[in-house]
Amino acid sequence: MTNQFELLKIFCVAAESSSFKQAAAVLGKSPQTVTRAIQELEVSLGEILFYRTTRNSKITREGENFAVKAKRLLREMDDLFHTASSDDEQEMTGHVNLTSTRIEVSQTLTKDTLRRGQ
């Protein structure tokens, strides 16, 4: 089984594309990979998500409903990871107290120095 997160990403791109070939080009994957991912998702859900011809695909009503939920979930996941990474980029504030029996400081302590642990 393919990663469900990856299946949702493939599905969302396919839902916005006129064909699986176009979706594959956007994703940098082969059309067969997109087709297999959509088939796997359809089997897993027990629903037909796309009407297919040899030249294009058209999303079904069930597919449209699923796309709304899938896009919302992917946005929330992006927000979650973006929020977590932006927390790491917040400026450090506060005071640092250093205690030592012998002081040999050859450079000025700066925020960058403290971040590097020097």
Side-chain angles (χ1 to χ4, degrees):
M1 180 172 139
T2 307
N3 177 319
Q4 289 180 335
F5 181 67
E6 185 68 17
L7 289 176
L8 289 179
K9 289 194 301 187
I10 292 170
F11 169 77
C12 287
V13 172
E16 295 176 359
S17 302
S18 62
S19 68
F20 290 172
K21 183 178 180 179
Q22 182 185 25
V26 169
L27 292 163
K29 299 184 180 296
S30 71
Q32 295 81 6
T33 300
V34 173
T35 299
R36 281 193 298 269
I38 298 301
Q39 288 171 338
E40 185 175 337
L41 198 52
E42 289 175 328
V43 167
S44 175
L45 296 171
E47 298 284 348
I48 296 173
L49 301 173
F50 289 92
Y51 298 117
R52 300 170 185 74
T53 67
T54 55
R55 296 183 189 261
N56 61 24
S57 60
K58 183 176 180 346
I59 195 164
T60 63
R61 181 175 303 280
E62 293 83 6
E64 288 174 348
N65 293 336
F66 186 72
V68 170
K69 294 175 186 176
K71 288 175 187 176
R72 183 174 50 234
L73 179 62
L74 290 175
R75 274 193 311 274
E76 288 177 10
M77 289 183 74
D78 284 343
D79 289 346
L80 174 68
F81 286 105
H82 178 71
T83 301
S85 67
S86 67
D87 287 345
D88 294 339
E89 296 172 5
Q90 290 181 357
E91 185 164 325
M92 295 172 55
T93 60
H95 297 278
V96 176
N97 294 319
L98 300 175
T99 304
S100 175
T101 57
R102 186 172 152 197
I103 299 176
E104 291 182 25
V105 179
S106 62
Q107 62 182 6
T108 304
L109 292 176
T110 65
K111 284 192 294 186
D112 290 336
T113 304
L114 292 172
R115 282 188 183 135
R116 290 192 306 257
Q118 297 177 344

